[in-house]
Amino acid sequence: MKQLGIIGYQLSHSISPEFQQAALDHHKINAEFHRWEIKEDELNSFFETIQDADFVGASVTIPYKEKCVDLVDKVSDSANLIGAVNCIVNTNNQLVGHNTDGSGFIRALKTKHGFNLKKKKVLLIGAGGAAKAISHSLIKENIKEITIANRTVSRGDELAQKLKSITTKVNSIKLERQSLIKPLKDVDLIVNTTSIGMKNSLHPEHSPIPIDLIPNNAIVNDIVYNPIETPLIKAAKMRNASTIGGLDMLVYQGVEAFELWTGRRAPETIMYDAAREALGL
Ligand code: ATR
């Protein structure tokens, strides 16, 4: 039997095994998708054990996305640029590291929601790992401009600087009301990549941006999926803006991974439904 799984530490909340197994079963692929909860000091030996013919590939999550760049045999260009691997594929006994976080985010926006990114203005909230993956993928889509708003400005500046080697259309601002007024005026897409609004975070009841500044013709995409309706999504709905919840990026990074592992078209709806069921929705 073929073996796949998710590698991380503290995986009890991960729903990847449920929606990936549903996709494998749909295609009648004789494979098992595991929950590989690995402690840091066991990571190297784990990588030695998975290098056999039955191992197809793995998803990688917190806290190992950056570490995996050095643990695989080869890294894709985008994973290399982002500096993180969230998907490993066993290609002829070579472990190849990919990053499907950004490409999954874009695919959900474009194919599921029919959003055309060309010439659009984007406000990206946050400058961490998720922001990095999403911003690199956004820039490939011929957007007009990207503004990074982060609590720690130096970190936002650092990401902006990296992106400037690829594009000139990037700004960095502080995540505060005064600085947000201008970029939010004519923004097309707002993406929250911070944990603000997440269940059990420091600020589960907060929106990362002031509600009254959300324009009604913008699309608001919160990558937080727990709760499914975050304070930002609720606020955007109140402002009559369009909304996209975090489950889309989670499922579509998995859709992209599934296709890399199997070469088959991922059953998107089946995966999405399995994800919702795993969350008890
Ligand atoms: P991830 O890989 O999920 O993106 P990360 O790399 O730790 O996680 O990045 C977390 C992001 O959320 C950062 O942009 C962080 O802002 P700082 O760079 O200022 O730390 C942001 N973030 C987390 N909690 C926040 C809060 N309470 N207020 C504002 N920003 C917050």
mmCIF file with all atom_site columns, all heavy atoms in Angstrom, residues 2-15:
data_model
loop_
_atom_site.group_PDB
_atom_site.id
_atom_site.type_symbol
_atom_site.label_atom_id
_atom_site.label_alt_id
_atom_site.label_comp_id
_atom_site.label_asym_id
_atom_site.label_entity_id
_atom_site.label_seq_id
_atom_site.pdbx_PDB_ins_code
_atom_site.Cartn_x
_atom_site.Cartn_y
_atom_site.Cartn_z
_atom_site.occupancy
_atom_site.B_iso_or_equiv
_atom_site.pdbx_formal_charge
_atom_site.auth_seq_id
_atom_site.auth_comp_id
_atom_site.auth_asym_id
_atom_site.auth_atom_id
_atom_site.pdbx_PDB_model_num
ATOM 1   N N   . LYS A 1 2  ? 0.480   2.245  -0.802 1.00 0.00 ? 2  LYS A N   1
ATOM 2   C CA  . LYS A 1 2  ? 1.244   3.494  -0.857 1.00 0.00 ? 2  LYS A CA  1
ATOM 3   C C   . LYS A 1 2  ? 1.032   4.299  0.422  1.00 0.00 ? 2  LYS A C   1
ATOM 4   O O   . LYS A 1 2  ? -0.035  4.232  1.036  1.00 0.00 ? 2  LYS A O   1
ATOM 5   C CB  . LYS A 1 2  ? 0.768   4.342  -2.054 1.00 0.00 ? 2  LYS A CB  1
ATOM 6   C CG  . LYS A 1 2  ? 0.950   3.650  -3.383 1.00 0.00 ? 2  LYS A CG  1
ATOM 7   C CD  . LYS A 1 2  ? 2.387   3.705  -3.804 1.00 0.00 ? 2  LYS A CD  1
ATOM 8   C CE  . LYS A 1 2  ? 2.595   3.061  -5.163 1.00 0.00 ? 2  LYS A CE  1
ATOM 9   N NZ  . LYS A 1 2  ? 4.004   2.694  -5.382 1.00 0.00 ? 2  LYS A NZ  1
ATOM 10  N N   . GLN A 1 3  ? 2.059   5.060  0.786  1.00 0.00 ? 3  GLN A N   1
ATOM 11  C CA  . GLN A 1 3  ? 2.001   5.810  2.048  1.00 0.00 ? 3  GLN A CA  1
ATOM 12  C C   . GLN A 1 3  ? 2.155   7.315  1.790  1.00 0.00 ? 3  GLN A C   1
ATOM 13  O O   . GLN A 1 3  ? 3.061   7.739  1.076  1.00 0.00 ? 3  GLN A O   1
ATOM 14  C CB  . GLN A 1 3  ? 3.129   5.371  2.991  1.00 0.00 ? 3  GLN A CB  1
ATOM 15  C CG  . GLN A 1 3  ? 3.218   3.876  3.231  1.00 0.00 ? 3  GLN A CG  1
ATOM 16  C CD  . GLN A 1 3  ? 2.011   3.330  3.981  1.00 0.00 ? 3  GLN A CD  1
ATOM 17  O OE1 . GLN A 1 3  ? 1.437   4.000  4.845  1.00 0.00 ? 3  GLN A OE1 1
ATOM 18  N NE2 . GLN A 1 3  ? 1.589   2.120  3.639  1.00 0.00 ? 3  GLN A NE2 1
ATOM 19  N N   . LEU A 1 4  ? 1.252   8.101  2.404  1.00 0.00 ? 4  LEU A N   1
ATOM 20  C CA  . LEU A 1 4  ? 1.361   9.564  2.390  1.00 0.00 ? 4  LEU A CA  1
ATOM 21  C C   . LEU A 1 4  ? 1.055   10.050 3.799  1.00 0.00 ? 4  LEU A C   1
ATOM 22  O O   . LEU A 1 4  ? 0.589   9.281  4.636  1.00 0.00 ? 4  LEU A O   1
ATOM 23  C CB  . LEU A 1 4  ? 0.359   10.191 1.432  1.00 0.00 ? 4  LEU A CB  1
ATOM 24  C CG  . LEU A 1 4  ? 0.466   9.845  -0.042 1.00 0.00 ? 4  LEU A CG  1
ATOM 25  C CD1 . LEU A 1 4  ? -0.531  8.767  -0.411 1.00 0.00 ? 4  LEU A CD1 1
ATOM 26  C CD2 . LEU A 1 4  ? 0.225   11.075 -0.884 1.00 0.00 ? 4  LEU A CD2 1
ATOM 27  N N   . GLY A 1 5  ? 1.292   11.346 4.054  1.00 0.00 ? 5  GLY A N   1
ATOM 28  C CA  . GLY A 1 5  ? 0.943   11.837 5.380  1.00 0.00 ? 5  GLY A CA  1
ATOM 29  C C   . GLY A 1 5  ? 1.234   13.305 5.545  1.00 0.00 ? 5  GLY A C   1
ATOM 30  O O   . GLY A 1 5  ? 1.732   13.961 4.626  1.00 0.00 ? 5  GLY A O   1
ATOM 31  N N   . ILE A 1 6  ? 0.893   13.793 6.719  1.00 0.00 ? 6  ILE A N   1
ATOM 32  C CA  . ILE A 1 6  ? 1.251   15.176 7.056  1.00 0.00 ? 6  ILE A CA  1
ATOM 33  C C   . ILE A 1 6  ? 2.287   15.129 8.168  1.00 0.00 ? 6  ILE A C   1
ATOM 34  O O   . ILE A 1 6  ? 2.138   14.383 9.141  1.00 0.00 ? 6  ILE A O   1
ATOM 35  C CB  . ILE A 1 6  ? 0.013   16.036 7.416  1.00 0.00 ? 6  ILE A CB  1
ATOM 36  C CG1 . ILE A 1 6  ? 0.443   17.463 7.786  1.00 0.00 ? 6  ILE A CG1 1
ATOM 37  C CG2 . ILE A 1 6  ? -0.838  15.411 8.531  1.00 0.00 ? 6  ILE A CG2 1
ATOM 38  C CD1 . ILE A 1 6  ? -0.666  18.487 7.732  1.00 0.00 ? 6  ILE A CD1 1
ATOM 39  N N   . ILE A 1 7  ? 3.354   15.919 7.988  1.00 0.00 ? 7  ILE A N   1
ATOM 40  C CA  . ILE A 1 7  ? 4.450   15.976 8.960  1.00 0.00 ? 7  ILE A CA  1
ATOM 41  C C   . ILE A 1 7  ? 4.348   17.294 9.715  1.00 0.00 ? 7  ILE A C   1
ATOM 42  O O   . ILE A 1 7  ? 4.286   18.367 9.110  1.00 0.00 ? 7  ILE A O   1
ATOM 43  C CB  . ILE A 1 7  ? 5.826   15.926 8.236  1.00 0.00 ? 7  ILE A CB  1
ATOM 44  C CG1 . ILE A 1 7  ? 5.944   14.670 7.371  1.00 0.00 ? 7  ILE A CG1 1
ATOM 45  C CG2 . ILE A 1 7  ? 6.967   16.009 9.244  1.00 0.00 ? 7  ILE A CG2 1
ATOM 46  C CD1 . ILE A 1 7  ? 7.141   14.695 6.416  1.00 0.00 ? 7  ILE A CD1 1
ATOM 47  N N   . GLY A 1 8  ? 4.337   17.224 11.033 1.00 0.00 ? 8  GLY A N   1
ATOM 48  C CA  . GLY A 1 8  ? 4.281   18.441 11.846 1.00 0.00 ? 8  GLY A CA  1
ATOM 49  C C   . GLY A 1 8  ? 4.385   18.076 13.306 1.00 0.00 ? 8  GLY A C   1
ATOM 50  O O   . GLY A 1 8  ? 4.641   16.909 13.639 1.00 0.00 ? 8  GLY A O   1
ATOM 51  N N   . TYR A 1 9  ? 4.238   19.055 14.160 1.00 0.00 ? 9  TYR A N   1
ATOM 52  C CA  . TYR A 1 9  ? 4.174   18.722 15.580 1.00 0.00 ? 9  TYR A CA  1
ATOM 53  C C   . TYR A 1 9  ? 2.988   19.443 16.198 1.00 0.00 ? 9  TYR A C   1
ATOM 54  O O   . TYR A 1 9  ? 2.848   20.657 16.006 1.00 0.00 ? 9  TYR A O   1
ATOM 55  C CB  . TYR A 1 9  ? 5.475   19.072 16.320 1.00 0.00 ? 9  TYR A CB  1
ATOM 56  C CG  . TYR A 1 9  ? 5.459   18.454 17.700 1.00 0.00 ? 9  TYR A CG  1
ATOM 57  C CD1 . TYR A 1 9  ? 5.566   17.074 17.842 1.00 0.00 ? 9  TYR A CD1 1
ATOM 58  C CD2 . TYR A 1 9  ? 5.266   19.235 18.832 1.00 0.00 ? 9  TYR A CD2 1
ATOM 59  C CE1 . TYR A 1 9  ? 5.495   16.477 19.099 1.00 0.00 ? 9  TYR A CE1 1
ATOM 60  C CE2 . TYR A 1 9  ? 5.203   18.650 20.093 1.00 0.00 ? 9  TYR A CE2 1
ATOM 61  C CZ  . TYR A 1 9  ? 5.310   17.268 20.212 1.00 0.00 ? 9  TYR A CZ  1
ATOM 62  O OH  . TYR A 1 9  ? 5.233   16.685 21.450 1.00 0.00 ? 9  TYR A OH  1
ATOM 63  N N   . GLN A 1 10 ? 2.185   18.661 16.884 1.00 0.00 ? 10 GLN A N   1
ATOM 64  C CA  . GLN A 1 10 ? 0.860   19.039 17.358 1.00 0.00 ? 10 GLN A CA  1
ATOM 65  C C   . GLN A 1 10 ? -0.092  19.002 16.168 1.00 0.00 ? 10 GLN A C   1
ATOM 66  O O   . GLN A 1 10 ? -0.406  20.016 15.562 1.00 0.00 ? 10 GLN A O   1
ATOM 67  C CB  . GLN A 1 10 ? 0.842   20.457 17.975 1.00 0.00 ? 10 GLN A CB  1
ATOM 68  C CG  . GLN A 1 10 ? 1.785   20.649 19.144 1.00 0.00 ? 10 GLN A CG  1
ATOM 69  C CD  . GLN A 1 10 ? 1.327   19.906 20.395 1.00 0.00 ? 10 GLN A CD  1
ATOM 70  O OE1 . GLN A 1 10 ? 0.173   19.526 20.498 1.00 0.00 ? 10 GLN A OE1 1
ATOM 71  N NE2 . GLN A 1 10 ? 2.214   19.679 21.330 1.00 0.00 ? 10 GLN A NE2 1
ATOM 72  N N   . LEU A 1 11 ? -0.472  17.806 15.824 1.00 0.00 ? 11 LEU A N   1
ATOM 73  C CA  . LEU A 1 11 ? -1.316  17.643 14.628 1.00 0.00 ? 11 LEU A CA  1
ATOM 74  C C   . LEU A 1 11 ? -2.755  17.281 14.948 1.00 0.00 ? 11 LEU A C   1
ATOM 75  O O   . LEU A 1 11 ? -3.534  16.984 14.044 1.00 0.00 ? 11 LEU A O   1
ATOM 76  C CB  . LEU A 1 11 ? -0.733  16.550 13.721 1.00 0.00 ? 11 LEU A CB  1
ATOM 77  C CG  . LEU A 1 11 ? 0.548   16.907 12.970 1.00 0.00 ? 11 LEU A CG  1
ATOM 78  C CD1 . LEU A 1 11 ? 1.046   15.706 12.179 1.00 0.00 ? 11 LEU A CD1 1
ATOM 79  C CD2 . LEU A 1 11 ? 0.304   18.082 12.026 1.00 0.00 ? 11 LEU A CD2 1
ATOM 80  N N   . SER A 1 12 ? -3.107  17.349 16.233 1.00 0.00 ? 12 SER A N   1
ATOM 81  C CA  . SER A 1 12 ? -4.448  16.858 16.587 1.00 0.00 ? 12 SER A CA  1
ATOM 82  C C   . SER A 1 12 ? -5.550  17.663 15.889 1.00 0.00 ? 12 SER A C   1
ATOM 83  O O   . SER A 1 12 ? -6.625  17.141 15.627 1.00 0.00 ? 12 SER A O   1
ATOM 84  C CB  . SER A 1 12 ? -4.641  16.864 18.094 1.00 0.00 ? 12 SER A CB  1
ATOM 85  O OG  . SER A 1 12 ? -4.435  18.155 18.586 1.00 0.00 ? 12 SER A OG  1
ATOM 86  N N   . HIS A 1 13 ? -5.275  18.932 15.565 1.00 0.00 ? 13 HIS A N   1
ATOM 87  C CA  . HIS A 1 13 ? -6.313  19.740 14.917 1.00 0.00 ? 13 HIS A CA  1
ATOM 88  C C   . HIS A 1 13 ? -6.248  19.689 13.390 1.00 0.00 ? 13 HIS A C   1
ATOM 89  O O   . HIS A 1 13 ? -7.090  20.253 12.717 1.00 0.00 ? 13 HIS A O   1
ATOM 90  C CB  . HIS A 1 13 ? -6.214  21.206 15.364 1.00 0.00 ? 13 HIS A CB  1
ATOM 91  C CG  . HIS A 1 13 ? -6.494  21.378 16.818 1.00 0.00 ? 13 HIS A CG  1
ATOM 92  N ND1 . HIS A 1 13 ? -7.739  21.137 17.346 1.00 0.00 ? 13 HIS A ND1 1
ATOM 93  C CD2 . HIS A 1 13 ? -5.701  21.700 17.853 1.00 0.00 ? 13 HIS A CD2 1
ATOM 94  C CE1 . HIS A 1 13 ? -7.708  21.328 18.650 1.00 0.00 ? 13 HIS A CE1 1
ATOM 95  N NE2 . HIS A 1 13 ? -6.470  21.667 18.987 1.00 0.00 ? 13 HIS A NE2 1
ATOM 96  N N   . SER A 1 14 ? -5.222  19.009 12.848 1.00 0.00 ? 14 SER A N   1
ATOM 97  C CA  . SER A 1 14 ? -5.079  19.005 11.391 1.00 0.00 ? 14 SER A CA  1
ATOM 98  C C   . SER A 1 14 ? -6.211  18.193 10.743 1.00 0.00 ? 14 SER A C   1
ATOM 99  O O   . SER A 1 14 ? -6.525  17.087 11.180 1.00 0.00 ? 14 SER A O   1
ATOM 100 C CB  . SER A 1 14 ? -3.733  18.397 10.988 1.00 0.00 ? 14 SER A CB  1
ATOM 101 O OG  . SER A 1 14 ? -3.713  18.212 9.596  1.00 0.00 ? 14 SER A OG  1
ATOM 102 N N   . ILE A 1 15 ? -6.800  18.749 9.692  1.00 0.00 ? 15 ILE A N   1
ATOM 103 C CA  . ILE A 1 15 ? -7.860  18.021 8.985  1.00 0.00 ? 15 ILE A CA  1
ATOM 104 C C   . ILE A 1 15 ? -7.375  17.539 7.608  1.00 0.00 ? 15 ILE A C   1
ATOM 105 O O   . ILE A 1 15 ? -8.148  16.980 6.849  1.00 0.00 ? 15 ILE A O   1
ATOM 106 C CB  . ILE A 1 15 ? -9.144  18.881 8.839  1.00 0.00 ? 15 ILE A CB  1
ATOM 107 C CG1 . ILE A 1 15 ? -8.852  20.186 8.099  1.00 0.00 ? 15 ILE A CG1 1
ATOM 108 C CG2 . ILE A 1 15 ? -9.776  19.140 10.199 1.00 0.00 ? 15 ILE A CG2 1
ATOM 109 C CD1 . ILE A 1 15 ? -10.108 20.944 7.687  1.00 0.00 ? 15 ILE A CD1 1
#
